Amino acid sequence: MKFLGRQRLSKNPFRDNSITLLVSSLLLAAPITVFLLHCVYQTYSRKDAHWSHNHDILEFNTHHEPDVLLYVASYSGLVTTLNLSLAEYRNTPVKLETLSTTDGCAGSPSWLTLDWYNGVLYCTDEGLKDGKYGSLASFATHDNGTLTLLAKTSTAFGPVSAIMYGEWDYGLAVAHYGGSAFTTWKIQDPSNLTSLNVQQFSLPEPGPDPSRQEASHPHAAVVDPSKRFILVPDLGADMIHIYSVGFGDLGLSKLDPLVVAPGTGPRHIAFVVKETKTFMYLVTELANTIIGYEAVYGGEFIRFKEIWNSGIHGEAKDVPQGAAAAEIVVSPDRGFLIVSSRNESTLQVPDFDTRNGTIASDPLVSFKIDSETGHLTLQQDIPCGGRSPRHFSINKTGTLVAVALQRDSRVVIIERDAKTGILGDFIAYAELEGEVTAVVFYE
């Protein structure tokens, strides 16, 4: 388990003694130089890697990278740790090993937020089994994949998204779809989750889609790149609530919302910084569109100028009847945008278990982001490995995409070329218990 709580660096005791500082620096430099020379030797003597994307084919050798852990949430009540080992991959997807499970986030785990620095995993329980309240749980992570419950507390009903915010990330902002609420928590001590604020939303009247917009439905909580604002897309209210974060504390001030067209149904958003410009992309669940904005900062406010609007499959591309856009993510290199869609089932992939027949699949849709305009160019529209890709995440190097397939109770891993952004083959999968709601890499 990692050390909980961050410490500020102490002042340098040698800052006023230049001779002592010089001697100390030389003593420190010697072992570092030896270490760097060793690294150079290892690099040029071995000249190999775990795998590469040459000619879009994974190539393996005997020296492979350490295994990676994946955390998966599902409505079964379990959070599962998977061992992502690709050493055995030979053109057929590897079935991932389950290392650990915990029911500490039961009954209906819906979202996972990882604080890698402090070794803590936060999990929201949507509360579907209770129907009255949700909950928030914190776990200490361990290198062997096990999770130790630190704390669990009751929340407003229906939490579906959470993000750390504030100085040192001591705050947690949570969107509650079913409870029409937005809450904040102090998590400086992960074993003592403290409620800070509960904001309840209401509508003067139902929206254009009364079956989905009968009430306010906050669907995500996202921190902007400056870390000074929190944005909460509200599917029921057709707007994005905006809050400014207090300097040096966890207090929030509500700003004017960003209003979208009636019946749009805002779901999730993703930011990207391109040179001197900041763009925000909103995926809408009811209209199945991607709306792009350029963010403009000034003092204590943030404004948005619309620069893009298309269907989730790209400009002039039809969206199948009944489709429901889900997740939107910007790649680590900030060059690409990926969107998932549910309820389409228009694609086919080989059956992961039998490898004989085929199964229906929804899509992942990939776009290249123009650095100057923020416009999107369709790159790929491919099968995601099954039905209802409610959530997906990309590893830090941009070489793997993990997809949570809610209706198929499956997680799949897709290879990705970090340079070209091209999504490739399915290289691993796991069948789990219950509807899968979220998957994150432990990194």
Side-chain angles (χ1 to χ4, degrees), residues 38-275:
H38 172 74
C39 291
V40 171
Y41 168 77
Q42 293 295 324
T43 299
Y44 286 95
S45 63
R46 294 185 179 184
K47 292 185 179 179
D48 57 27
H50 175 32
W51 54 268
S52 67
H53 284 281
N54 294 333
H55 308 294
D56 294 325
I57 298 175
L58 289 176
E59 297 180 355
F60 285 81
N61 51 53
T62 56
H63 303 288
H64 59 83
E65 296 174 357
D67 296 346
V68 177
L69 301 182
L70 285 170
Y71 298 121
V72 185
S74 83
Y75 280 158
S76 68
L78 299 177
V79 175
T80 301
T81 306
L82 299 175
N83 181 30
L84 177 52
S85 174
L86 301 178
E88 302 301 320
Y89 176 75
R90 296 294 186 276
N91 299 320
T92 300
V94 176
K95 191 166 186 177
L96 300 180
E97 174 192 7
T98 295
L99 296 179
S100 173
T101 60
T102 176
D103 62 359
C105 190
S108 314
S110 57
W111 187 266
L112 299 172
T113 300
L114 178 65
D115 179 359
W116 183 89
Y117 186 95
N118 288 304
V120 180
L121 181 71
Y122 296 94
C123 176
T124 60
D125 157 32
E126 201 168 346
L128 299 181
K129 294 182 179 180
D130 174 84
K132 296 180 180 180
Y133 301 98
S135 67
L136 172 65
S138 59
F139 298 89
T141 64
H142 303 277
D143 290 339
N144 64 1
T146 58
L147 297 170
T148 301
L149 182 64
L150 297 173
K152 187 174 184 178
T153 186
S154 179
T155 72
F157 178 59
V160 292
S161 173
I163 188 73
M164 295 184 295
Y165 78 95
E167 188 176 16
W168 303 102
D169 284 338
Y170 283 159
L172 190 74
V174 183
H176 299 256
Y177 178 90
S180 303
F182 171 65
T183 65
T184 55
W185 301 79
K186 185 177 181 180
I187 57 171
Q188 182 174 356
D189 177 0
S191 62
N192 181 24
L193 305 173
T194 305
S195 176
L196 295 176
N197 184 61
V198 178
Q199 169 92 53
Q200 293 286 161
F201 302 112
S202 60
L203 298 181
E205 60 183 10
D209 186 344
S211 66
R212 298 294 308 279
Q213 296 184 306
E214 83 294 349
S216 166
H217 290 305
H219 216 305
V222 179
V223 175
D224 83 303
S226 76
K227 297 187 180 298
R228 294 189 292 129
F229 302 94
I230 297 176
L231 296 95
V232 182
D234 190 327
L235 184 147
D238 284 324
M239 66 175 61
I240 300 176
H241 305 285
I242 304 175
Y243 298 84
S244 64
V245 180
F247 180 75
D249 61 30
L250 301 176
L252 301 180
S253 299
K254 199 170 191 316
L255 306 178
D256 291 338
L258 173 60
V259 179
V260 299
T264 299
R267 181 179 172 93
H268 286 181
I269 56 180
F271 280 93
V272 62
V273 177
K274 303 287 282 186
E275 299 176 357

